[in-house]
Amino acid sequence: MTASRPPEPAFGLQIPVHRTTLANGLRVVVSPDHSAPTICVAVYYHVGMRLEPQGRTGFAHLFEHLMFQGSAGMAKMEIAKLVQENGGNLNGSTRYDFTNYFETLPSHTLDLALWMEADRMRGPVITTAELDNQREVVKNEIRVNVLNRPYGSFPWIDMQERAYTNWHNAHNGYGDMADLDAAGLDDVEAFFRTYYSPANAVLVIVGDCEPDHAVALSRQHFEEIPAGPTPATADLSEPRQTEERRFSRPDALANLSALAVSYHTPPSGSPEYYAMGLLDQLLVQGEDALLYHEIVQSRGYAGEVDGGINFLGHMHNAHTPLLWTVELFHNNDIAADAILEAIDAVIEPLRTTVLPQVSLDRAIVKARAALYGTMSETYYPGAGVADLLAAFELFEGDASHVNEIEGRFAAVTPELVLATAQEYLRRENRTVLAVEPGATQGAQS
Amino acid sequence: MTAARPRPVPGPQAPFRLPPREVTRLGNGMRATFVAAGTVPIAAIRLVIRTGSADVPQGQTWLDRFVHEYLREGTATLDAAQLAEAFASIGGRFSVDADEHTTVLRTDVLAEHAPRAIALLAEIARAPRLPDDEAARLRTDLRRNLDMALVQPQFLTFAKFRSALYGTHPYGRVIPQGEVIDAFDAGQARAFWAAETGAQRAHLLVGGRFDAQRVTTAVHAAFDDWSAGPAPVDVTPTPTRGRRIYVIDRPGAEQSTMYVGLPVIDPTQPDYVGLEVTNMLLGGSFHSRITMNIREDKGYTYSPYSAVSSRPHDAYWVEAADVTTNVTGAALTEILGEMDRLGATPPDVAELAGIQNYAAGSFVLRQATASGILDSLEFLDMHGLDAGYAEAYVDRVRAVTPETVQRIAATYLPSAPVTVVVAGDRAAIEAQLAPFGPIEA
């Protein structure tokens, strides 16, 4: 067991990180925090939408739902009942490269929480009826979030389908209804065997616990789960984009135009990636951002400019390929070309001129605050920190790297920002998507 | 496959003490409350002002939103760009959260900059710039927001439910006329802010990590000489209870967006904590009866939920769900059936004990983060409750019996007088809704 505890400045960030690997390959990360009597237990499996089988789009997410439908020691939804009747909240989510399951509870229930996650790591035990039920639930999730919602696929699904060329990255991870219909119990078994082994997972415990005790309990519950084969690696790479791509699509439910512009980011973890994170702060985050000033305040094209890295989270909890996106809603009498011209008027100078240090310093402060913001979870206390720890354990092989993030931002120079803008904010590196509204007015009754 | 170990049984939850709070009262009637929480070096700061959409004059719906947008346009000493930079340079971002009775100027900043953030929020509240030459742009933005809201089924359903319950009372006026927005100007914004804000309506909340001494000094410097301003005004409504069904037509919609609810007691009433427990059991938690029925058993919907929505001396209970179009009637049958089943038969002791633990545990969870603590403080303020309410909450939850739940369900949550609003494909759902009563014009 290794531990790292950086010294504490007045109001510094220092997340205690205790790492252990069990005999079956399960990595365990414990981060004690005694500021409140709560505990968050999270299990992250290193499989997400990108690795689901062709012909089974949406399966990684459907599988996530099935992990609440019963296992050897728990009936359908009993895990939700157990968490609830012990005073906690639970959830799960499916992302590009991982699927997570987590609960936050009063801290005296740690033993039970670990037992629950160990039980379902042994595998879902479900019937066709339960699969059919969750298939309907998932279809209703897609309806409420995408099909029955104006701008429902904008830009997260629309853009990945157009900006990426590799099927793993480009396909719709919510899934085609036909693919969801085709999924059977044999798919469940195969997907579990391939991706849900202990060695392909990280267990994170954050909150009111003693690390030695938490690790000992983790051993008791998880170490006897048989190790499985390591899944084959997939080629998720995207080629360097050399030509701007432009698309538009109609949205019958929308009544106003929308525009999104996405650029491929530098490789995650690289110095350039952190420079890109600062460019994001500089360009779109907050009301001091350059694009906000130009598009909202100076030109009045839109009321807000949104965007960032990673449609399904933030820059610290995902692995490239990723997109940095600018998105906005605008009146129909403003042409997309005019907005693109405004964007270029802001971005092009960053590709030719070295940024003043004072601008970079402010971007770094904002990036730090944004990082701290990801750690604050009101409904699931501790889950934000657990998420960062799991992401760094999965993607960099060491959860304690979370304590290096601020140093990586601080190491970015104006020259690196310039070089990053020159390569990654090229027009040829971007995909433009315009939404053409199909609804003529509000559906007022 | 190895067998799992026996399921552990946790002992009782440890007695929980609220995180200590420090309360300061200024000479002008303003209050400030500080609560240290968490380990992340962020200070959460909220200036809660007792004014909201209910204070907007009739015929000017969304004037409050217009003012909120306007507050971003600077202060007496800082223009919009300078104000935005001032927040950004301390890791913050200014935003406004508001409802019928509160307007919350808020920011989260790096812990060491809490005093500066307090000074900035004070400047916005006391001396907003509200420049004339930005009014046209802000009107355009607000019209755009209105237009976009008018194609969101959840918003339309909410608005219709509100007008059905509250009629012309401010709580019922959710959707403005576009022409009204087009006529908003800086003068109206200034008049509203001057008439509706002041120290005796303000409560500054600071949570998270901060230097208490420096923050106290900053509060006095920023607010001691703020004039008391107007006293808050309550506008208690008399919501309508009674079966009515409204349909908002969305031809071809794959789902029906439903709001099903009725007026209930507010948080100052003795039965209120029991009502909260009853709600969690009925539809207000993942393992609740309605969710287990229409989601986990029947697959009609993805994210159904029920909630008690409250304002001073006013509340309603509502179940909201987006269901597949062809099961609109079936879903409504199940929702109303679960309401009446709970009113007819007490829950068994184990089911209620589980919900009581959930209520007690999630209370602890809410007190674990700065945002959760500040939310709780806002709730107490809203309803004129004191810290004693929070201290007694868990004991009151534990005191609820199965018979209490049945009585509360029968008294406050019968299905007969519910108002039902459905945004969906009228041609496909009209016949499904017919058994529940006539559809209102």
Side-chain angles (χ1 to χ4, degrees), chain A residues 343-353 425-427 430:
Chain A
I343 291 173
D344 288 337
V346 170
I347 286 183
E348 284 305 314
L350 294 173
R351 303 184 62 240
T352 56
T353 312
L425 297 183
R426 285 178 293 119
R427 287 186 210 183
R430 78 186 180 191

Side-chain angles (χ1 to χ4, degrees), chain A residues 48-356:
Chain A
M49 298 169 179
R50 283 175 172 161
L51 292 184
E52 60 199 6
Q54 300 211 19
R56 290 291 182 272
T57 58
F59 192 77
H61 173 235
L62 176 59
F63 188 92
E64 176 221 311
H65 277 244
L66 299 178
M67 288 285 274
F68 295 77
Q69 295 292 304
S71 47
M74 294 184 287
K76 171 186 166 83
M77 279 294 276
E78 191 171 1
I79 190 161
K81 180 169 179 283
L82 280 169
V83 168
Q84 208 170 284
E85 71 189 19
N86 282 284
N89 292 319
L90 85 169
N91 213 335
S93 71
T94 308
R95 312 291 178 91
Y96 300 118
D97 293 309
F98 65 74
T99 307
N100 63 1
Y101 305 87
F102 55 93
E103 45 273 329
T104 300
L105 291 141
S107 47
H108 71 290
T109 65
L110 174 61
D111 195 15
L112 175 65
L114 292 171
W115 176 88
M116 293 186 301
E117 290 301 344
D119 198 62
R120 62 176 167 179
M121 188 178 281
R122 289 176 161 87
V125 178
I126 60 162
T127 63
T128 302
E130 287 158 351
L131 172 59
D132 289 343
N133 166 252
Q134 288 305 303
R135 198 194 318 271
E136 287 309 307
V137 171
V138 165
K139 285 180 171 183
N140 271 310
E141 178 177 351
I142 295 168
R143 290 183 188 114
V144 72
N145 285 341
V146 180
L147 302 176
N148 195 39
R149 175 188 295 256
Y151 315 98
S153 58
F154 174 82
W156 61 306
I157 295 172
D158 298 332
M159 188 57 89
Q160 73 183 31
E161 289 178 335
R162 291 164 176 82
Y164 292 131
T165 55
N166 181 331
W167 180 87
H168 291 290
N169 308 317
H171 78 271
N172 173 4
Y174 241 162
D176 297 331
M177 292 299 196
D179 284 1
L180 290 169
D181 283 334
L185 288 177
D186 51 336
D187 295 307
V188 176
E189 176 67 16
F191 196 75
F192 174 75
R193 278 194 190 288
T194 307
Y195 295 114
Y196 273 69
S197 68
N200 206 39
V202 175
L203 164 67
V204 187
I205 302 166
V206 173
D208 182 25
C209 67
E210 297 307 325
D212 290 345
H213 179 61
V215 169
L217 286 177
S218 301
R219 279 192 200 287
Q220 284 175 27
H221 291 298
F222 288 89
E223 199 149 40
E224 289 175 7
I225 300 173
T230 307
T233 53
D235 178 9
L236 302 178
S237 64
E238 290 286 332
R240 182 175 187 270
Q241 189 174 325
T242 55
E243 221 168 44
E244 180 183 70
R245 294 201 278 269
R246 288 190 66 164
F247 301 90
S248 66
R249 81 160 186 85
D251 184 335
L253 300 181
N255 58 355
L256 283 172
S257 303
L259 184 72
V261 185
S262 287
Y263 300 76
H264 298 278
T265 73
S268 44
S270 66
E272 291 80 6
Y273 187 72
Y274 289 88
M276 191 72 220
L278 296 180
L279 281 163
D280 172 48
Q281 294 295 339
L282 196 70
L283 285 163
V284 296
Q285 303 303 332
E287 286 161 17
D288 67 315
L290 297 174
L291 286 170
Y292 180 87
H293 186 262
E294 183 69 21
I295 291 173
V296 177
Q297 290 182 306
S298 293
R299 304 205 191 196
Y301 288 168
E304 303 286 344
V305 178
D306 290 321
I309 295 170
N310 181 12
F311 293 122
L312 299 180
H314 50 78
M315 69 171 288
H316 305 294
N317 68 349
H319 195 269
T320 41
L322 291 166
L323 300 168
W324 174 71
T325 301
V326 178
E327 58 188 88
L328 54 87
F329 299 94
H330 61 95
N331 287 4
N332 298 332
D333 58 356
I334 307 289
D337 277 330
I339 297 168
L340 286 171
E341 188 273 315
I343 291 173
D344 288 337
V346 170
I347 286 183
E348 284 305 314
L350 294 173
R351 303 184 62 240
T352 56
T353 312
V354 175
L355 198 62

Side-chain angles (χ1 to χ4, degrees), chain B residues 5 9 29 70 88 103 126 145 157 175 190 241-242 266 298 304-305 311 323 353 362 416 426 439 441:
Chain B
R5 288 173 178 270
V9 179
Y70 231 139
T103 300
R126 298 184 56 182
N145 292 345
T157 308
I175 299 179
R190 287 189 204 108
R241 182 172 145 140
D266 73 86
K298 306 206 171 59
Y305 69 91
R311 289 146 299 283
V323 305
S362 47
R426 187 178 187 115
I439 295 171

